[in-house]
Amino acid sequence: MVGRSGRTFVPLWLPIFLVVVSFIALYDFSYIFLFPASGPEGEYGKYFPSHHEYADVDPIYAAPHLNRMVQIVIGPMGIIEIALNFSAATLFVIGSPATLAVALVANVYIIAKTCFYIVYDYPEVVTADFAKLLQLYIMPMLVWIIFPAIAVFQLGRAVTGLISRDVLKKQN
């Protein structure tokens, strides 16, 4: 039985993860939409040192204003991700039964956005230094896939459990 709280089926680490990745996505969104002012020589460049280092591996980030795909698709997708993540975390805090559904959608969205970006971006990734590629590209992408995948598995199991319970109730 779901009861009054959707919290029952959402692990505590998940809303924390969603809030943390939302702030990271907001930081990323800011870099993309402030460019070229956020670039190394720009007025706000000092606030984005990690993006400047990342741009050495991922040339799309070296000049996002020249790549309309990043500004038109990836940036707004980040805003949707942030809205879903904060919604799920807020619903968790207030104990809404909708927490389970929104958290599930948010995590599926994170995986889809990340996979979309990898498919679009990976052919552009350049580096001769595998350690740098691993640190700046592969590991962050894995975090954006593995943790949401674990959440989707846990939340999906809860959803199927609730559906099974309801079906059994109706049969009896």
Side-chain angles (χ1 to χ4, degrees), residues 2 41 54-55 65-66 69 71 84 87-88 114 118-119 150 159:
V2 176
E41 305 300 321
Y54 180 78
H65 67 296
L66 298 177
M69 178 66 163
Q71 283 190 321
L84 283 168
S87 295
T114 304
I118 290 170
V119 167
I150 292 168
V159 167

Side-chain angles (χ1 to χ4, degrees), residues 8 12 40 44 48 50 52 54 72-73 77 83 88 97-98 100 103 112-113 115 120 127 137 143 147 171:
T8 310
L12 179 59
Y44 305 112
F48 299 95
S50 58
H52 305 176
Y54 180 78
I72 292 171
V73 177
M77 285 178 80
L100 180 60
K113 182 188 80 121
C115 290
Y120 175 76
T127 184
Y137 192 83
V143 167
F147 284 99
Q171 288 177 350

Side-chain angles (χ1 to χ4, degrees), residues 56-57 125-134:
D56 292 341
V57 174
V125 172
V126 290
T127 184
D129 182 359
F130 181 74
K132 193 172 190 178
L133 178 68
L134 184 65

Side-chain angles (χ1 to χ4, degrees), residues 71-119:
Q71 283 190 321
I72 292 171
V73 177
I74 302 298
M77 285 178 80
I79 293 301
I80 294 167
E81 176 185 349
I82 292 164
L84 283 168
N85 293 349
F86 276 127
S87 295
T90 302
L91 291 169
F92 179 83
V93 169
I94 64 174
S96 170
T99 304
L100 180 60
V102 177
L104 183 60
V105 169
N107 282 281
V108 168
Y109 188 85
I110 292 169
I111 294 167
K113 182 188 80 121
T114 304
C115 290
F116 172 75
Y117 185 75
I118 290 170
V119 167

